Amino acid sequence: MLAPTLLRRLDPTTLRLFVAMCEDGTLTQAARRAAIAPSAVSKRLVELEQSLGVQLMTRQARGMVMTPAGETLLHHARRMLHDVEQIVVELAEHAKGVRGIVRMFANLSAIVQFLPEDLRAFLARQEAIKISLEERPSGGVVAGVEAGLAELGICSGSIPARDLTSVLYRRDSLVVVMRHDHPLADRPALAFRDTLDHDFVGLHAESSIYASVRGEAQSIGRPLRLRVHVPGFDAVLRMAQADMGLGVVPLGVFALLGSAMDLAAIPLTDPWAQRELRIVSRPGERSPAASLLVASLTADAV
């Protein structure tokens, strides 16, 4: 166990000052951010290094530079400060009568297609529970749940869940969207290889859909003629509408956002275009509120 003296050195104020020094690169800037004297910041750093028995930063002509030990502390300090802030938020909610808060990360496909109605139905039955939802790419969902930044995550089933518990949430299918005057628009269905002679509009590089599209093109041995990356499904549809290229989106997204845009949506016949969305969590660590939410979200899993 850590000595009480060392634990006292790892207080939120000291950690915030350390993070500020790492981010700003100088004692002066960190002191200005914290509204204290630079000498006080320097004293805190020296005492922290002495307590830990390691050098955290080196002083150079252009400012402060982290040592490997400093990089390790920065990683944990950010997480500890996030947890402290979350404690304050959640206890404030309990004071208002909220009996449970579930932090959730989810990918864009789940947020657009399924979660609005599913969460509305759940919260109508569980008025004492609050949900904090944040959009992340599927890889970020898994990483965030692993790191304890979220209790639950919803991600593409193509992303390895590693040591997390994973259960089916929903299934969806991918379609290729294009203008009705596109040469492929009259096809009833398409194999992905038949699209590779045409330009593409891609989702952001971290999205699981873009990873699938790029990976399939590589496995076929053909280049993906990518004209532009865009941040979301609405932008993919607008670019396709402007004849910037083909887009690949879930069928449910097209039904919600693209049906009024005079676009064609052609099903992909490739097996990877039939997808699963899965709920991930750390084994044995679901709160009662999170368990209720998972049971509700998976009750009609199809």
Side-chain angles (χ1 to χ4, degrees):
M1 295 181 62
L2 291 176
T5 301
L6 178 53
L7 287 174
R8 285 195 294 272
R9 292 297 182 199
L10 296 174
D11 63 280
T13 299
T14 299
L15 292 178
R16 287 193 184 93
L17 285 173
F18 177 73
V19 170
M21 281 187 282
C22 295
E23 292 177 347
D24 296 333
T26 68
L27 286 172
T28 302
Q29 290 295 331
R32 184 175 295 117
R33 188 197 296 196
I36 61 176
S39 59
V41 177
S42 179
K43 183 173 182 292
R44 287 259 190 173
L45 177 60
V46 170
E47 291 174 345
L48 182 59
E49 289 178 326
Q50 290 175 345
S51 299
L52 294 173
V54 294
Q55 186 176 9
L56 299 171
M57 306 193 82
T58 58
R59 294 158 179 80
Q60 298 184 359
R62 294 185 177 182
M64 310 290 288
V65 177
M66 282 183 290
T67 66
E71 292 177 354
T72 298
L73 179 59
L74 177 63
H75 168 75
H76 290 290
R78 284 173 168 159
R79 180 174 174 180
M80 290 170 67
L81 291 172
H82 176 275
D83 288 344
V84 168
E85 292 170 359
Q86 196 63 37
I87 289 170
V88 173
V89 170
E90 294 188 11
L91 289 179
E93 294 293 342
H94 280 288
K96 298 175 185 177
V98 175
R99 292 195 296 273
I101 298 176
V102 181
R103 288 171 287 166
M104 176 188 293
F105 291 167
N107 68 4
L108 194 58
S109 293
I111 289 176
V112 174
Q113 293 183 97
F114 306 115
L115 280 176
E117 288 75 22
D118 287 352
L119 293 182
R120 181 184 63 186
F122 173 75
L123 293 174
R125 298 189 301 269
Q126 303 290 342
E127 296 181 354
I129 294 176
K130 182 175 180 179
I131 297 170
S132 172
L133 175 63
E134 183 175 332
E135 189 267 323
R136 295 279 180 97
S138 287
V141 169
V142 171
V145 174
E146 280 188 320
L149 300 179
E151 191 172 2
L152 300 178
I154 301 180
C155 62
S156 169
S158 65
I159 301 297
R162 296 193 278 266
D163 294 329
L164 299 178
T165 298
S166 171
V167 295
L168 177 65
Y169 171 47
R170 290 285 188 276
R171 291 185 173 91
D172 67 7
S173 57
L174 299 178
V175 296
V176 184
V177 295
M178 63 198 77
R179 289 163 53 117
H180 283 289
D181 58 359
H182 193 279
L184 299 177
D186 60 349
R187 302 283 189 92
L190 280 167
F192 181 70
R193 67 169 54 249
D194 294 335
T195 68
L196 291 174
D197 290 330
H198 302 273
D199 292 334
F200 269 83
V201 176
L203 276 171
H204 58 85
E206 294 183 351
S207 74
S208 60
I209 291 178
Y210 175 70
S212 296
V213 168
R214 181 187 59 190
E216 185 65 13
Q218 290 174 343
S219 70
I220 294 171
R222 297 279 303 280
L224 184 67
R225 292 171 44 175
L226 185 70
R227 296 192 72 182
V228 63
H229 275 297
V230 293
F233 294 131
D234 53 346
V236 171
L237 295 169
R238 282 287 293 118
M239 290 292 181
Q241 188 182 44
D243 203 23
M244 286 287 289
L246 304 174
V248 176
V249 302
L251 177 60
V253 168
F254 178 79
L256 288 166
L257 304 180
S259 57
M261 299 178 70
D262 196 32
L263 293 170
I266 313 300
L268 280 168
T269 60
D270 304 77
W272 57 268
Q274 306 302 312
R275 307 193 308 157
E276 290 185 348
L277 297 175
R278 303 191 68 85
I279 300 174
V280 294
S281 60
R282 293 182 301 282
E285 294 188 25
R286 287 183 196 159
S287 65
S291 294
L292 284 173
L293 178 55
V294 171
S296 176
L297 293 178
T298 57
D300 299 316
V302 292

